[in-house]
Short mmCIF file of all heavy atoms in Angstrom, two decimals:
data_model
loop_
_atom_site.label_atom_id
_atom_site.label_comp_id
_atom_site.label_asym_id
_atom_site.label_seq_id
_atom_site.Cartn_x
_atom_site.Cartn_y
_atom_site.Cartn_z
N CYS K 1 -3.61 -12.16 0.09
CA CYS K 1 -2.97 -11.56 -1.08
C CYS K 1 -1.49 -11.80 -0.95
O CYS K 1 -0.86 -11.35 0.01
CB CYS K 1 -3.29 -10.09 -1.15
SG CYS K 1 -2.40 -9.28 -2.48
N PRO K 2 -0.85 -12.52 -1.90
CA PRO K 2 0.57 -12.78 -1.80
C PRO K 2 1.45 -11.58 -2.06
O PRO K 2 2.63 -11.65 -1.75
CB PRO K 2 0.78 -13.84 -2.95
CG PRO K 2 -0.33 -13.53 -3.95
CD PRO K 2 -1.52 -13.07 -3.16
N ALA K 3 0.92 -10.47 -2.53
CA ALA K 3 1.72 -9.29 -2.81
C ALA K 3 2.01 -8.41 -1.54
O ALA K 3 2.88 -7.57 -1.56
CB ALA K 3 1.01 -8.37 -3.81
N MET K 4 1.32 -8.72 -0.41
CA MET K 4 1.40 -7.83 0.73
C MET K 4 2.86 -7.86 1.30
O MET K 4 3.27 -6.77 1.78
CB MET K 4 0.38 -8.29 1.78
CG MET K 4 -0.99 -8.02 1.42
SD MET K 4 -1.34 -6.35 0.76
CE MET K 4 -1.12 -5.37 2.22
N ASP K 5 3.58 -8.92 1.36
CA ASP K 5 4.99 -8.95 1.83
C ASP K 5 5.79 -8.00 0.97
O ASP K 5 6.63 -7.24 1.46
CB ASP K 5 5.53 -10.38 1.88
CG ASP K 5 5.02 -11.22 2.98
OD1 ASP K 5 4.47 -10.62 3.98
OD2 ASP K 5 5.10 -12.46 2.90
N MET K 6 5.67 -8.09 -0.35
CA MET K 6 6.40 -7.24 -1.21
C MET K 6 6.03 -5.71 -1.03
O MET K 6 6.84 -4.82 -1.07
CB MET K 6 6.20 -7.64 -2.66
CG MET K 6 6.95 -6.75 -3.68
SD MET K 6 8.78 -6.89 -3.49
CE MET K 6 9.02 -8.49 -4.22
N ILE K 7 4.75 -5.48 -0.84
CA ILE K 7 4.27 -4.10 -0.62
C ILE K 7 4.88 -3.52 0.62
O ILE K 7 5.37 -2.37 0.64
CB ILE K 7 2.71 -4.04 -0.59
CG1 ILE K 7 2.16 -4.32 -2.05
CG2 ILE K 7 2.19 -2.77 -0.10
CD1 ILE K 7 0.65 -4.50 -2.10
N ARG K 8 4.89 -4.35 1.72
CA ARG K 8 5.49 -3.86 3.02
C ARG K 8 6.98 -3.58 2.82
O ARG K 8 7.51 -2.53 3.23
CB ARG K 8 5.24 -4.87 4.08
CG ARG K 8 3.85 -4.84 4.64
CD ARG K 8 3.75 -5.74 5.92
NE ARG K 8 3.68 -7.21 5.52
CZ ARG K 8 2.50 -7.79 5.25
NH1 ARG K 8 1.35 -7.15 5.25
NH2 ARG K 8 2.52 -9.07 4.90
N ALA K 9 7.65 -4.51 2.06
CA ALA K 9 9.17 -4.25 1.83
C ALA K 9 9.33 -2.98 0.94
O ALA K 9 10.24 -2.22 1.23
CB ALA K 9 9.74 -5.46 1.18
N ASP K 10 8.49 -2.77 -0.05
CA ASP K 10 8.57 -1.61 -0.88
C ASP K 10 8.39 -0.35 -0.17
O ASP K 10 8.95 0.74 -0.44
CB ASP K 10 7.71 -1.74 -2.16
CG ASP K 10 8.14 -2.80 -3.14
OD1 ASP K 10 9.31 -3.27 -3.00
OD2 ASP K 10 7.41 -3.14 -4.02
N ILE K 11 7.38 -0.31 0.74
CA ILE K 11 7.08 0.76 1.58
C ILE K 11 8.28 1.18 2.45
O ILE K 11 8.69 2.36 2.50
CB ILE K 11 5.86 0.58 2.48
CG1 ILE K 11 4.58 0.55 1.62
CG2 ILE K 11 5.74 1.59 3.59
CD1 ILE K 11 3.36 0.05 2.37
N ARG K 12 8.89 0.13 3.08
CA ARG K 12 10.05 0.42 3.93
C ARG K 12 11.20 0.97 3.08
O ARG K 12 11.92 1.89 3.48
CB ARG K 12 10.42 -0.83 4.67
CG ARG K 12 9.53 -1.25 5.81
CD ARG K 12 10.05 -2.42 6.59
NE ARG K 12 9.12 -2.76 7.66
CZ ARG K 12 8.16 -3.62 7.57
NH1 ARG K 12 7.98 -4.28 6.44
NH2 ARG K 12 7.34 -3.82 8.63
N ARG K 13 11.42 0.40 1.95
CA ARG K 13 12.48 0.86 1.07
C ARG K 13 12.26 2.33 0.54
O ARG K 13 13.14 3.09 0.55
CB ARG K 13 12.60 -0.11 -0.21
CG ARG K 13 13.76 0.14 -1.07
CD ARG K 13 13.99 -0.94 -2.11
NE ARG K 13 12.90 -1.88 -2.51
CZ ARG K 13 12.76 -3.03 -1.95
NH1 ARG K 13 13.53 -3.51 -0.99
NH2 ARG K 13 11.79 -3.81 -2.29
N ALA K 14 10.99 2.65 0.14
CA ALA K 14 10.74 4.02 -0.26
C ALA K 14 10.92 5.06 0.86
O ALA K 14 11.48 6.11 0.57
CB ALA K 14 9.29 4.09 -0.77
N LEU K 15 10.54 4.62 2.01
CA LEU K 15 10.75 5.52 3.15
C LEU K 15 12.20 5.73 3.52
O LEU K 15 12.61 6.81 3.85
CB LEU K 15 9.87 5.14 4.33
CG LEU K 15 8.37 5.38 4.22
CD1 LEU K 15 7.60 4.62 5.30
CD2 LEU K 15 8.07 6.86 4.25
N ALA K 16 12.92 4.64 3.50
CA ALA K 16 14.38 4.69 3.83
C ALA K 16 15.06 5.65 2.75
O ALA K 16 15.91 6.40 3.14
CB ALA K 16 14.97 3.27 3.82
N THR K 17 14.75 5.44 1.54
CA THR K 17 15.28 6.25 0.47
C THR K 17 14.94 7.74 0.74
O THR K 17 15.82 8.62 0.42
CB THR K 17 14.76 5.81 -0.90
OG1 THR K 17 15.14 4.48 -1.14
CG2 THR K 17 15.33 6.68 -2.03
N ALA K 18 13.79 8.03 1.30
CA ALA K 18 13.44 9.38 1.56
C ALA K 18 13.99 9.90 2.92
O ALA K 18 13.67 11.00 3.32
CB ALA K 18 11.91 9.47 1.44
N GLY K 19 14.69 9.05 3.62
CA GLY K 19 15.34 9.44 4.86
C GLY K 19 14.51 9.08 6.14
O GLY K 19 14.94 9.55 7.18
N TYR K 20 13.55 8.33 6.01
CA TYR K 20 12.70 7.87 7.19
C TYR K 20 13.14 6.45 7.50
O TYR K 20 12.90 5.52 6.78
CB TYR K 20 11.28 7.88 6.82
CG TYR K 20 10.68 9.30 6.47
CD1 TYR K 20 10.61 9.66 5.15
CD2 TYR K 20 10.34 10.11 7.44
CE1 TYR K 20 10.18 10.91 4.79
CE2 TYR K 20 9.80 11.39 7.12
CZ TYR K 20 9.81 11.79 5.84
OH TYR K 20 9.32 13.00 5.45
N LEU K 21 13.80 6.30 8.67
CA LEU K 21 14.38 5.00 9.03
C LEU K 21 13.62 4.22 10.09
O LEU K 21 13.72 3.04 10.22
CB LEU K 21 15.84 5.21 9.50
CG LEU K 21 16.75 5.88 8.47
CD1 LEU K 21 18.12 6.02 9.02
CD2 LEU K 21 16.80 5.06 7.15
N ASP K 22 12.85 4.99 10.86
CA ASP K 22 11.96 4.38 11.93
C ASP K 22 10.55 4.18 11.33
O ASP K 22 9.78 5.12 11.34
CB ASP K 22 11.98 5.21 13.18
CG ASP K 22 11.23 4.48 14.32
OD1 ASP K 22 10.85 3.27 14.21
OD2 ASP K 22 11.19 5.14 15.45
N VAL K 23 10.26 3.03 10.85
CA VAL K 23 9.04 2.75 10.07
C VAL K 23 8.28 1.56 10.67
O VAL K 23 8.86 0.47 10.95
CB VAL K 23 9.25 2.58 8.62
CG1 VAL K 23 8.02 2.22 7.81
CG2 VAL K 23 10.01 3.73 7.98
N GLU K 24 6.99 1.73 10.83
CA GLU K 24 6.13 0.64 11.19
C GLU K 24 5.00 0.50 10.12
O GLU K 24 4.38 1.55 9.77
CB GLU K 24 5.42 0.87 12.54
CG GLU K 24 4.48 -0.23 12.94
CD GLU K 24 3.75 0.08 14.22
OE1 GLU K 24 3.67 1.26 14.63
OE2 GLU K 24 3.22 -0.88 14.79
N VAL K 25 4.80 -0.70 9.58
CA VAL K 25 3.73 -0.89 8.56
C VAL K 25 2.72 -1.74 9.28
O VAL K 25 2.99 -2.81 9.68
CB VAL K 25 4.24 -1.52 7.30
CG1 VAL K 25 3.14 -1.77 6.31
CG2 VAL K 25 5.37 -0.73 6.68
N VAL K 26 1.48 -1.22 9.30
CA VAL K 26 0.36 -1.84 10.02
C VAL K 26 -0.61 -2.35 8.93
O VAL K 26 -1.05 -1.53 8.14
CB VAL K 26 -0.31 -0.94 11.04
CG1 VAL K 26 -1.53 -1.64 11.64
CG2 VAL K 26 0.68 -0.47 12.03
N THR K 27 -1.00 -3.59 8.99
CA THR K 27 -2.01 -4.09 8.07
C THR K 27 -3.37 -4.24 8.80
O THR K 27 -3.34 -4.90 9.90
CB THR K 27 -1.59 -5.46 7.52
OG1 THR K 27 -0.33 -5.39 6.88
CG2 THR K 27 -2.59 -6.01 6.54
N VAL K 28 -4.41 -3.64 8.28
CA VAL K 28 -5.74 -3.71 8.88
C VAL K 28 -6.68 -4.34 7.84
O VAL K 28 -6.51 -4.07 6.65
CB VAL K 28 -6.31 -2.35 9.26
CG1 VAL K 28 -5.43 -1.78 10.44
CG2 VAL K 28 -6.36 -1.40 8.20
N VAL K 29 -7.63 -5.14 8.29
CA VAL K 29 -8.53 -5.86 7.44
C VAL K 29 -9.99 -5.35 7.52
O VAL K 29 -10.88 -5.85 6.85
CB VAL K 29 -8.43 -7.35 7.49
CG1 VAL K 29 -7.06 -7.86 7.12
CG2 VAL K 29 -8.75 -7.77 8.93
N ALA K 30 -10.16 -4.42 8.46
CA ALA K 30 -11.53 -3.91 8.69
C ALA K 30 -11.49 -2.39 8.65
O ALA K 30 -10.66 -1.84 9.42
CB ALA K 30 -12.13 -4.42 9.95
N PRO K 31 -12.28 -1.71 7.95
CA PRO K 31 -13.19 -2.36 6.93
C PRO K 31 -12.42 -2.97 5.81
O PRO K 31 -11.33 -2.59 5.49
CB PRO K 31 -14.00 -1.20 6.45
CG PRO K 31 -13.19 0.04 6.63
CD PRO K 31 -12.33 -0.25 7.89
N ALA K 32 -13.06 -4.01 5.19
CA ALA K 32 -12.36 -4.71 4.09
C ALA K 32 -12.26 -3.84 2.87
O ALA K 32 -13.06 -2.92 2.65
CB ALA K 32 -13.25 -5.95 3.75
N TRP K 33 -11.19 -4.00 2.16
CA TRP K 33 -10.92 -3.28 0.93
C TRP K 33 -12.11 -3.45 -0.03
O TRP K 33 -12.64 -4.54 -0.14
CB TRP K 33 -9.58 -3.67 0.39
CG TRP K 33 -9.24 -3.02 -0.97
CD1 TRP K 33 -8.58 -1.82 -1.04
CD2 TRP K 33 -9.46 -3.39 -2.25
NE1 TRP K 33 -8.44 -1.45 -2.39
CE2 TRP K 33 -8.97 -2.41 -3.09
CE3 TRP K 33 -10.10 -4.54 -2.82
CZ2 TRP K 33 -9.09 -2.59 -4.50
CZ3 TRP K 33 -10.16 -4.66 -4.20
CH2 TRP K 33 -9.63 -3.68 -5.03
N SER K 34 -12.33 -2.47 -0.77
CA SER K 34 -13.39 -2.51 -1.83
C SER K 34 -12.82 -1.87 -3.11
O SER K 34 -12.00 -1.00 -3.03
CB SER K 34 -14.60 -1.72 -1.32
OG SER K 34 -15.43 -1.45 -2.42
N THR K 35 -13.27 -2.34 -4.25
CA THR K 35 -12.83 -1.80 -5.49
C THR K 35 -13.35 -0.28 -5.59
O THR K 35 -12.89 0.43 -6.38
CB THR K 35 -13.41 -2.56 -6.67
OG1 THR K 35 -14.80 -2.81 -6.49
CG2 THR K 35 -12.68 -3.94 -6.80
N ASP K 36 -14.30 0.07 -4.71
CA ASP K 36 -14.74 1.44 -4.68
C ASP K 36 -13.57 2.31 -4.20
O ASP K 36 -13.58 3.55 -4.48
CB ASP K 36 -15.89 1.72 -3.70
CG ASP K 36 -17.22 1.21 -4.21
OD1 ASP K 36 -17.30 0.95 -5.45
OD2 ASP K 36 -18.12 1.01 -3.47
N TRP K 37 -12.54 1.81 -3.58
CA TRP K 37 -11.38 2.56 -3.09
C TRP K 37 -10.44 2.85 -4.20
O TRP K 37 -9.49 3.66 -3.95
CB TRP K 37 -10.69 1.84 -1.96
CG TRP K 37 -11.52 1.69 -0.67
CD1 TRP K 37 -12.84 2.06 -0.54
CD2 TRP K 37 -11.14 1.13 0.49
NE1 TRP K 37 -13.27 1.80 0.73
CE2 TRP K 37 -12.23 1.16 1.40
CE3 TRP K 37 -10.00 0.50 0.94
CZ2 TRP K 37 -12.20 0.67 2.68
CZ3 TRP K 37 -9.90 -0.05 2.19
CH2 TRP K 37 -11.01 0.07 3.07
N ILE K 38 -10.56 2.28 -5.38
CA ILE K 38 -9.67 2.61 -6.52
C ILE K 38 -10.00 4.07 -6.95
O ILE K 38 -11.14 4.36 -7.21
CB ILE K 38 -9.83 1.64 -7.65
CG1 ILE K 38 -9.51 0.19 -7.26
CG2 ILE K 38 -8.97 2.08 -8.87
CD1 ILE K 38 -9.80 -0.86 -8.26
N SER K 39 -8.97 4.89 -6.98
CA SER K 39 -9.16 6.26 -7.41
C SER K 39 -9.52 6.40 -8.90
O SER K 39 -9.33 5.45 -9.65
CB SER K 39 -7.94 7.12 -7.10
OG SER K 39 -6.93 6.72 -8.03
N GLU K 40 -10.06 7.55 -9.26
CA GLU K 40 -10.36 7.75 -10.69
C GLU K 40 -9.03 7.76 -11.47
O GLU K 40 -9.05 7.23 -12.61
CB GLU K 40 -11.10 9.10 -10.91
CG GLU K 40 -12.51 9.11 -10.40
CD GLU K 40 -13.30 8.01 -11.04
OE1 GLU K 40 -13.22 7.82 -12.25
OE2 GLU K 40 -14.05 7.27 -10.27
N THR K 41 -7.99 8.27 -10.89
CA THR K 41 -6.68 8.13 -11.53
C THR K 41 -6.27 6.65 -11.77
O THR K 41 -5.80 6.30 -12.82
CB THR K 41 -5.63 8.84 -10.75
OG1 THR K 41 -6.00 10.26 -10.66
CG2 THR K 41 -4.18 8.76 -11.44
N GLY K 42 -6.53 5.85 -10.74
CA GLY K 42 -6.15 4.42 -10.83
C GLY K 42 -7.02 3.73 -11.87
O GLY K 42 -6.49 2.92 -12.65
N ARG K 43 -8.30 4.05 -11.94
CA ARG K 43 -9.16 3.47 -12.90
C ARG K 43 -8.68 3.83 -14.35
O ARG K 43 -8.67 2.97 -15.24
CB ARG K 43 -10.59 3.94 -12.73
CG ARG K 43 -11.27 3.30 -11.53
CD ARG K 43 -12.65 3.95 -11.20
NE ARG K 43 -13.09 3.57 -9.91
CZ ARG K 43 -13.61 2.37 -9.59
NH1 ARG K 43 -13.80 1.39 -10.50
NH2 ARG K 43 -13.93 2.08 -8.34
N ALA K 44 -8.29 5.07 -14.52
CA ALA K 44 -7.84 5.49 -15.81
C ALA K 44 -6.53 4.81 -16.17
O ALA K 44 -6.33 4.41 -17.34
CB ALA K 44 -7.63 7.06 -15.85
N LYS K 45 -5.61 4.63 -15.25
CA LYS K 45 -4.32 3.97 -15.47
C LYS K 45 -4.64 2.52 -15.85
O LYS K 45 -3.97 1.97 -16.75
CB LYS K 45 -3.46 4.03 -14.28
CG LYS K 45 -2.82 5.39 -14.02
CD LYS K 45 -1.97 5.37 -12.74
CE LYS K 45 -1.33 6.67 -12.42
NZ LYS K 45 -0.56 6.53 -11.15
N LEU K 46 -5.53 1.86 -15.17
CA LEU K 46 -5.90 0.42 -15.48
C LEU K 46 -6.41 0.37 -16.92
O LEU K 46 -5.89 -0.52 -17.68
CB LEU K 46 -6.86 -0.07 -14.44
CG LEU K 46 -6.40 -0.38 -13.07
CD1 LEU K 46 -7.57 -0.63 -12.11
CD2 LEU K 46 -5.39 -1.52 -13.00
N ALA K 47 -7.32 1.21 -17.26
CA ALA K 47 -7.96 1.15 -18.60
C ALA K 47 -6.87 1.42 -19.63
O ALA K 47 -6.87 0.72 -20.65
CB ALA K 47 -9.06 2.11 -18.67
#
């Protein structure tokens, strides 16, 4: 997914803005993401 680098940068920026400067972003691929993980709120926003 080409968006992952931007997501990691946005996470670091959001945490820095909130005052958290020591940040580690870990990417895991197991278990694999599933569309079942989209929240009901997320489904409603998409629709």
